[in-house]
């Protein structure tokens, strides 16, 4: 269906442009570098390529033009006729024919020259041949200047034609110029056709779309037709005639009751009768327009008779006024109904109906009881239906309000809000609070609150205090011991004498009660130590006096009653630890033993490779000495 | 107008700030600042990036499960405006914020209390081991023993007296 391809036709370039484009393309897209000293087949190939490339380009573009433009035989007769009216069929065909011829000529030129190039024996010769070929092709194109111009104009006009679907439901408006056809279409559809008091304001066909009974309808506005024979009609009128002739639509013949269009009713009736043959098989309606100025009842008897005749012939005559919109809806509904009826009829008579009818089955449920069960139609649908059929007044739009109020008008969309409380409509709604979205908290059941408790711990404080004191005392002790200057050998504590005063002070600081004599005598360390010291000294003196064969002291002497355990048992809690200690000792000694060291203080480095044994010539000796 | 949440650091994105990235699978990512955006482009996992809220929640450093947190939730069905409902909501919101804040800080305090616990045990240990630095082990024991002996004598005397 060539309906919408009219907009997709590629631009037709002028001949000069065409030549320029093709030649520059050849220059850009083919290799440009060639030298005399190349091999001849290479030179030939180079130039042949250029010729063929140019030919290819011309051929492609021209073929595209030829396929893009619609063939008058292939498209709908309405469009074919329309194009004939507008662009003259012969001229159109001629132009396309010329293009075709040009294409063939270019092909031939290219073929010839490529053949000739096979015998070119030098760069110069080949180059001249190429020049000749391209020149000839370009001359051919230059001659097509007129055709190309004409085709470009046709293309531009064609793409601006209104897209009229010849097969769908259409209402066609016809009549004298200035009777009110364009006003009618403006009222009924969203089209905005120019309406002016002079004749032939509408110079071509215009399409508008409207909806009725949930279907899309086309309304076609035509330029006015004057009453003269077909041969004398100009292009503008011919368009109207074409539309009338080819579109299968309902025809609305518009008449001007007030005769403001400049033609009497009689003349209008004449015209009507003349184009009557065009209305064959089409639902017909006569629209008596401009009834706000003059009504049919106000007409003369003769004129009234005209309308009476028409009505008698079963052609509905409806009075309208496109100014007051009176009767416009009625016309619309009448025309649409009639057309629908006609279309349904024709479909029923056709062959395809049976396929559809076979598949349709309207089921009527059997009545259960006597209770009436009418179909339920909601109120809104009923109202909607009414507005479709009757000329009901539309509700007041914001635009109307704006027009009324002029400068005072303020667009307030909040007044249409549907809230539970109508007086809250103009509230300013809070959205954000302290970084939170209020909308996130909205929940109709949001009334809950919770309390917390705090726990305190006092016991711990005491323990913490003591620990702090301990740490401090420790640090002090460390500092004091570091400060002590130790001259001479370190004597054990048992030998040292402890003054009573210092003892009292220390023990007092630690909380012991030093006041009682008993306490001092029993628990003082000095007396304890002193006694033991005396004891140890007395034992050895005794031994010296007796000079007897003394038994070797098997057990530890009392001098050692302070129980200084031997080194490998001191600080060791249990046999497991003792074992571990021994292991550590052995592992430390391992390394030393391996290296043959006497002890950990042995740092002697053996000279395993003394120079005098490894260097020099061995004259007459051994390696032990050279 | 909504305050969104940054995908990376979970901070607020006020209107007119930050960036929005829409991936080919139609998932929308909002970022509050270029820092978050750049980290995202480096394919870093917010749950492993220490300064983000996601990390803090995932590693239990902040309160995650609590019914005061259930109040703020994006509900996808809009509610028609009602003045009293909005008013009540704002009031409740303030209270909930209060509680939420308290609970969050309490949670963190409790978490830090563990440290206090450790300090406590350490102090106890310290005291147990080294009390001798401040106080002699049998300080006051002499007095105690004396008291005991006195008591015993007194009892004996009593018993004799009873007999």
């Amino acid at each position: 269906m060539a309906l919408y391809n009219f907009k997709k036709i590629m631009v037709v370039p002028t001949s000069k442009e065409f030549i320029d484009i093709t030649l520059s393309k050849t220059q850009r897209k083919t290799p440009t570098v060639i030298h005399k000293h190349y091999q001849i087949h290479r030179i030939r190939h180079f130039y042949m390529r250029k010729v063929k490339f140019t030919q290819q380009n011309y051929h492609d573009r021209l073929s595209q033009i030829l396929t893009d433009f619609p063939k008058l035989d292939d498209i709908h007769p309405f469009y074919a006729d329309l194009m004939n009216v507008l662009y003259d069929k012969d001229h159109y065909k001629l132009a396309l024919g010329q293009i075709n011829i040009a294409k063939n000529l270019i092909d031939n030129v290219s073929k010839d020259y490529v053949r000739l190039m096979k015998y070119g024996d030098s760069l110069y010769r080949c180059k001249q041949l190429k020049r000749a070929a391209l020149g000839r092709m370009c001359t051919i194109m230059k001659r097509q200047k007129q055709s190309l111009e004409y085709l470009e104009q046709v293309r531009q006009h064609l793409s601006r034609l209104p897209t009229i679907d010849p097969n769908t439901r259409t209402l066609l408006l016809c009549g004298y110029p200035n009777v009110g056809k364009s006003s009618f279409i403006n009222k009924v559809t969203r089209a905005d056709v120019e309406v002016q008091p002079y004749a032939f304001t509408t110079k071509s066909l215009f399409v508008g779309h409207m909806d009725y009974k949930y279907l899309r309808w086309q309304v076609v506005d035509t330029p006015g037709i004057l009453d003269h024979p077909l041969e004398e009609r100009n292009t503008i009128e011919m368009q109207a005639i074409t539309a009338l002739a080819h579109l299968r639509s309902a025809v609305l013949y518009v008449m001007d009751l007030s005769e403001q269009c400049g033609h009497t009713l009689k003349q209008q009736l004449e015209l009507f009768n003349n184009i009557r043959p065009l209305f064959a098989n089409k639902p017909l309606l006569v629209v008596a327009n401009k009834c706000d100025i003059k009504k049919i009842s106000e007409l003369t008897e003769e004129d009234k008779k005209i309308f009476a005749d028409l009505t008698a012939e079963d052609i509905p005559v409806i009075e309208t006024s496109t100014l007051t919109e009176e009767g416009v809806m009625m016309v619309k509904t009448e025309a649409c109904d009639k057309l629908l009826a006609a279309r349904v009829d024709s479909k029923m008579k056709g062959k395809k109906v049976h396929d559809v009818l076979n598949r349709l089955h309207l089921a009527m449920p059997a009545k259960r009881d006597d209770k009436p069960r009418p179909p339920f139609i909601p109120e809104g649908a009923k109202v909607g239906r009414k507005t479709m059929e009757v000329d009901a007044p539309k509700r007041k739009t914001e635009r109307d309000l704006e027009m009324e109020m002029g400068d005072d008008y303020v667009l307030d969309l909040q007044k249409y809000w549907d809230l539970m409380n109508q007086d809250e409509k103009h509230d300013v709604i809070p959205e954000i609070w302290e970084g939170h979205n209020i909308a996130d908290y909205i929940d109709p059941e949001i009334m809950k609150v919770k309390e917390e408790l705090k726990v305190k711990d006092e016991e711990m404080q005491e323990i913490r205090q003591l620990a702090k004191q301990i740490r401090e005392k420790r640090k002090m002790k460390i500092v004091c011991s570091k400060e002590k200057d130790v001259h001479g050998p370190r004597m054990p504590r048992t030998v040292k004498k402890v003054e009573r005063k210092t003892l009292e002070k220390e023990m007092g600081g630690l909380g012991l009660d030093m006041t009682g004599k008993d306490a001092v005598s029993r628990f003082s360390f000095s007396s304890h130590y002193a006694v033991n010291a005396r004891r140890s000294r007395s034992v050895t003196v005794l031994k010296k006096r007796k000079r007897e064969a003394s038994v070797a002291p098997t057990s530890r002497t009392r001098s050692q009653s302070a129980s200084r355990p031997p080194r490998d048992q001191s600080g060791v809690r249990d046999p497991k630890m003792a074992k571990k200690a021994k292991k550590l000792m052995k592992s430390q000694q391992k390394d030393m033993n391996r290296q043959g060291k006497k002890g950990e203080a042995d740092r002697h480095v053996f000279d395993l490779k003394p120079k005098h044994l490894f260097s020099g010539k061995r004259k007459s000796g051994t390696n032990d000495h050279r | 107008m909504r305050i969104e949440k940054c995908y990376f650091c979970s901070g607020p994105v006020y209107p007119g700030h930050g960036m929005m990235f829409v991936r080919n699978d139609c998932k929308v990512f909002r970022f509050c600042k270029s820092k978050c955006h750049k980290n995202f482009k480096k394919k870093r996992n917010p749950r492993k990036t220490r300064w983000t809220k996601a990390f803090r929640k995932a590693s239990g450093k902040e309160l995650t499960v609590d019914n005061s947190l259930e109040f703020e939730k994006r509900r996808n069905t809009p509610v028609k405006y009602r003045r009293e409902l909005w008013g009540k909501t704002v009031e409740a919101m303030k209270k909930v914020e209060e509680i939420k804040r308290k609970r969050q800080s309490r949670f963190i305090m409790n978490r830090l209390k563990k440290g206090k616990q450790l300090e406590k045990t350490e102090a106890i240990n310290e005291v147990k081991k080294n009390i001798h630095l401040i106080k002699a082990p049998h300080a006051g024991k002499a007095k105690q023993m004396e008291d005991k002996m006195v008591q015993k004598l007194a009892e004996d005397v009593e018993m004799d007296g009873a007999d």
Side-chain angles (χ1 to χ4, degrees):
Chain A
M1 237 323 225
L3 245 184
Y4 295 96
N5 286 359
F6 295 166
K7 294 199 199 289
K8 288 199 187 146
I9 305 176
M10 282 283 285
V11 179
V12 178
T14 61
S15 71
K16 195 159 174 296
E17 256 178 43
F18 203 170
I19 295 170
D20 282 340
I21 291 170
T22 317
L23 287 180
S24 71
K25 208 171 186 181
T26 316
Q27 194 185 13
R28 275 180 297 127
K29 304 241 174 196
T30 51
T32 51
V33 182
I34 191 83
H35 293 292
K36 264 198 308 194
H37 60 78
Y38 285 1
Q39 296 190 308
I40 190 65
H41 72 83
R42 192 170 163 189
I43 297 175
R44 279 190 203 133
H45 180 78
F46 175 85
Y47 284 112
M48 267 200 267
R49 185 168 167 184
K50 286 200 190 273
V51 171
K52 276 198 236 169
F53 188 85
T54 317
Q55 176 259 331
Q56 190 70 34
N57 272 325
Y58 274 128
H59 181 99
D60 284 342
R61 199 59 189 272
L62 292 172
S63 324
Q64 193 188 38
I65 293 173
L66 286 171
T67 46
D68 272 349
F69 275 90
K71 274 214 197 88
L72 292 176
D73 307 322
D74 285 348
I75 52 179
H76 195 272
F78 166 64
Y79 275 105
D81 234 357
L82 195 62
M83 283 175 75
N84 181 19
V85 163
L86 292 167
Y87 318 126
D88 192 12
K89 191 161 69 170
D90 298 329
H91 195 172
Y92 180 81
K93 280 194 172 169
L94 259 173
L96 286 178
Q98 290 280 359
I99 299 285
N100 199 14
I101 293 170
K103 187 177 82 169
N104 290 335
L105 283 175
I106 289 175
D107 287 343
N108 288 339
V109 160
S110 144
K111 244 187 274 174
D112 289 336
Y113 276 90
V114 163
R115 227 179 288 142
L116 280 176
M117 198 107 52
K118 280 195 238 169
Y119 304 106
D121 46 3
S122 71
L123 180 120
Y124 179 75
R125 206 64 46 108
C126 290
K127 186 169 180 180
Q128 295 299 77
L129 284 170
K130 166 216 142 213
R131 259 186 96 218
L134 294 197
R136 278 181 73 172
M137 288 193 230
C138 294
T139 325
I140 296 170
M141 280 322 295
K142 252 195 266 186
R143 290 205 300 261
Q144 306 306 320
K145 182 166 153 176
Q146 305 284 356
S147 312
L148 289 171
E149 266 175 27
Y150 168 76
L151 283 173
E152 174 59 20
Q153 284 183 355
V154 166
R155 182 196 76 87
Q156 283 186 357
H157 198 272
L158 210 51
S159 66
R160 291 195 180 98
L161 282 183
T163 45
I164 302 175
D165 186 351
N167 289 335
T168 181
R169 304 155 284 272
T170 324
L171 299 177
L172 197 56
L173 296 159
C174 56
Y176 262 100
N178 257 348
V179 294
K181 302 186 288 296
S182 304
S183 325
F184 186 83
I185 194 176
N186 281 345
K187 280 277 172 285
V188 162
T189 69
R190 277 203 73 185
D192 207 5
V193 185
E194 217 187 317
V195 175
Q196 295 284 353
Y198 59 84
F200 289 106
T201 320
T202 315
K203 292 192 244 319
S204 64
L205 300 171
F206 283 96
V207 191
H209 295 272
M210 66 179 200
D211 293 316
Y212 177 73
K213 281 202 179 150
Y214 311 108
L215 293 168
R216 264 273 132 129
W217 297 73
Q218 279 179 137
V219 184
V220 179
D221 180 27
T222 64
I225 317 170
L226 293 170
D227 194 11
H228 37 227
L230 194 66
E231 304 77 35
E232 292 169 31
R233 292 197 186 279
N234 59 24
T235 336
I236 303 175
E237 292 172 340
M238 276 311 290
Q239 288 181 53
I241 302 291
T242 319
L244 269 175
H246 290 283
L247 292 178
R248 212 171 50 115
S249 65
V251 178
L252 287 107
Y253 184 74
V254 187
M255 298 182 77
D256 182 358
L257 285 174
S258 64
E259 298 178 359
Q260 271 184 350
C261 59
H263 304 273
T264 62
L265 274 173
K266 275 236 165 46
Q267 286 172 325
Q268 295 185 28
L269 185 64
E270 270 291 318
L271 175 63
F272 179 74
N273 288 327
N274 281 345
I275 31 176
R276 202 65 185 273
L278 285 170
F279 301 157
N281 298 339
K282 299 196 172 89
L284 180 57
L285 214 84
V286 170
V287 180
N289 205 10
K290 304 195 191 171
C291 73
D292 53 321
I293 304 170
K294 213 174 197 179
K295 291 218 181 309
I296 290 186
S297 38
E298 296 166 20
L299 284 175
T300 62
E301 279 302 320
E302 277 184 31
D303 298 331
K304 268 199 209 163
K305 195 165 152 309
I306 299 172
F307 288 108
D309 284 339
L310 285 172
T311 337
E313 289 172 38
D314 217 8
I315 303 169
V317 176
I318 306 176
E319 277 188 335
T320 58
S321 168
T322 48
L323 210 64
T324 60
E325 292 194 45
E326 176 192 332
V328 166
M329 285 294 138
M330 209 161 60
V331 166
K332 181 171 129 184
T333 49
E334 260 305 315
C336 292
D337 287 336
K338 271 193 113 179
L339 181 61
L340 267 179
R343 279 172 77 98
V344 166
D345 270 340
S346 67
K347 278 203 184 123
M348 291 294 277
K349 285 185 207 145
K351 285 189 254 173
K352 287 191 201 167
V353 172
H354 297 288
D355 297 338
V356 180
L357 278 179
N358 280 342
R359 286 185 254 163
L360 289 175
H361 171 68
L362 183 62
M364 299 295 288
K367 280 205 187 303
R368 249 197 308 176
D369 49 25
D370 282 329
K371 189 169 169 188
R373 288 190 172 85
F376 175 71
I377 302 172
E379 273 305 314
K382 280 195 190 142
V383 169
R385 240 193 222 176
K386 249 191 233 164
T387 54
M388 260 213 315
E389 288 167 5
V390 178
D391 223 350
K394 296 192 201 106
R395 61 160 220 274
K396 196 166 192 192
T397 57
E398 281 295 311
R399 177 91 182 132
D400 296 333
L401 257 181
E402 189 179 348
M403 293 318 232
E404 261 175 48
M405 292 170 69
D407 272 341
D408 306 325
Y409 176 70
V410 171
L411 176 62
D412 179 23
L413 290 173
Q414 286 187 320
K415 68 180 175 222
Y416 291 119
W417 283 3
D418 173 28
L419 301 174
M420 290 195 66
N421 241 347
Q422 295 302 314
D423 50 338
E424 288 172 3
K425 274 192 210 173
H426 295 272
D427 269 0
V428 176
I429 303 177
E431 287 174 34
I432 291 173
W433 176 76
E434 283 232 347
H436 300 277
N437 295 306
I438 292 182
D440 288 345
Y441 285 85
I442 304 256
D443 191 13
E445 319 120 11
I446 198 176
M447 295 277 119
K448 267 191 264 174
V449 184
K450 206 177 175 186
E451 293 293 317
E452 296 140 33
L453 302 160
K454 263 191 185 168
V455 177
K456 262 190 193 157
D457 203 351
E458 281 164 342
E459 205 188 273
M460 270 311 293
Q461 289 207 1
E462 235 187 83
I463 292 184
R464 265 190 253 267
Q465 242 179 355
L466 279 177
K468 193 169 168 198
Q469 279 182 351
I470 291 174
R471 271 183 233 125
E472 274 177 26
K473 189 72 188 280
R474 227 211 209 140
K475 280 190 199 151
M476 283 289 287
K477 279 204 142 191
I478 292 170
V479 166
C480 286
S481 85
K482 280 199 178 145
E483 279 177 359
K484 253 196 268 177
D485 265 346
V486 181
H487 300 292
R490 273 212 174 145
M491 297 302 286
R493 236 192 317 162
T494 47
V495 166
K496 221 173 13 176
K497 257 198 175 166
V498 181
E499 300 235 342
R500 193 202 175 89
K501 263 188 281 177
T502 48
L503 191 66
E504 270 183 1
K505 201 166 69 183
E506 231 182 87
M507 289 302 140
L510 283 178
L512 279 173
D513 184 23
M514 290 278 127
T515 47
K517 250 210 242 169
D518 292 345
V520 177
S521 62
R522 268 199 214 172
F523 297 104
S524 72
F525 292 118
S526 67
S527 59
H528 181 75
Y529 276 117
V531 165
N532 285 336
R534 261 182 266 131
R535 280 199 200 135
S536 63
R537 263 183 251 136
S538 56
V539 168
T540 47
V541 162
L542 270 169
K543 281 228 156 160
K544 266 194 175 164
R545 274 201 187 152
K546 280 204 172 162
R547 285 187 187 252
E548 277 170 10
S550 53
V551 182
T554 48
S555 58
R556 297 251 174 248
T557 53
R558 279 202 217 137
S559 67
Q560 287 185 316
S561 72
S563 291
R564 193 68 61 67
R567 271 245 190 101
D568 61 348
Q569 281 174 25
S570 73
V572 169
R573 281 199 295 267
D574 45 16
K576 185 171 155 204
M577 203 170 169
K579 222 167 137 187
K580 187 162 184 195
K582 199 155 190 186
K583 200 164 146 195
L584 281 173
M585 177 187 78
K586 292 285 182 196
S587 68
Q588 235 186 0
Q589 289 174 351
K590 234 194 281 180
D591 212 33
M592 286 190 281
N593 293 343
R594 186 173 57 83
Q595 290 174 346
K597 294 201 184 213
K598 282 186 235 148
E600 61 184 24
D602 178 7
R603 285 191 284 273
H604 176 75
V605 176
F606 287 100
D607 186 9
L608 295 171
K609 285 181 92 175
K611 192 169 172 196
H612 68 278
L613 294 177
F614 286 89
S615 64
K617 300 188 185 177
R618 173 152 67 93
K619 283 197 185 145
S620 59
T622 61
N623 280 348
D624 292 341
H625 64 274
R626 286 175 181 254
Chain B
M1 220 40 75
R2 252 196 95 80
I3 297 178
E4 305 285 350
K5 250 175 27 111
C6 172
Y7 168 83
F8 201 81
C9 66
S10 315
V13 186
Y14 277 82
H17 288 258
M19 282 246 260
M20 175 159 90
F21 166 62
V22 182
R23 217 165 45 180
N24 276 352
D25 62 358
C26 305
K27 183 143 193 249
V28 172
F29 298 91
R30 286 171 204 271
F31 305 104
C32 59
K33 49 193 184 288
S34 61
K35 176 180 180 183
C36 302
H37 188 42
K38 284 188 182 153
N39 271 310
F40 176 82
K41 284 198 281 192
K42 288 189 178 163
K43 294 198 182 176
R44 293 213 178 131
N45 189 355
R47 284 162 160 266
K48 292 204 183 157
T49 317
R50 291 193 81 90
W51 50 274
T52 57
K53 257 302 190 256
F55 173 86
R56 290 189 66 85
K57 298 227 156 144
S59 59
K61 296 197 191 294
E62 273 190 17
L63 189 62
T64 37
V65 278
D66 191 35
N67 46 9
S68 67
L69 295 173
E70 299 299 314
F71 286 104
E72 181 168 14
K73 183 172 50 167
R74 187 187 182 135
R75 288 152 241 258
N76 285 323
T77 56
V79 176
K80 273 199 185 159
Y81 173 71
R82 277 205 322 266
R83 199 182 287 162
E84 26 111 16
L85 178 64
W86 248 250
K88 273 196 224 151
T89 307
V90 174
E91 295 306 308
M93 214 160 95
K94 293 183 182 162
K95 284 199 200 122
V96 167
E97 257 322 289
E98 203 39 64
I99 296 168
K100 209 201 300 183
R101 234 175 265 171
K102 281 201 193 137
R103 284 198 191 176
Q104 277 173 343
S105 53
R106 188 144 176 271
F107 182 84
I108 291 175
M109 270 294 128
N110 282 344
R111 190 164 58 85
L112 298 178
K113 265 194 199 166
K114 188 81 192 303
K116 303 263 178 199
Q117 189 71 31
L118 292 175
E119 272 178 46
K120 186 183 182 181
T121 47
E122 221 185 274
I124 292 175
N125 269 341
E126 186 95 59
V127 164
K128 270 197 199 154
K129 284 194 189 150
N130 300 321
I131 188 70
H132 61 85
L133 290 176
I134 343 175
K135 233 194 225 179
H138 36 264
K141 239 200 198 159
K143 198 74 202 259
Q144 240 180 34
M145 279 197 79
E146 235 182 279
D147 288 335
K148 239 197 220 170
M149 282 174 67
V150 166
Q151 208 184 28
K152 211 174 169 194
L153 278 169
E155 274 178 18
D156 286 341
V157 165
E158 259 184 49
M159 282 203 355
D160 286 339
D163 289 345

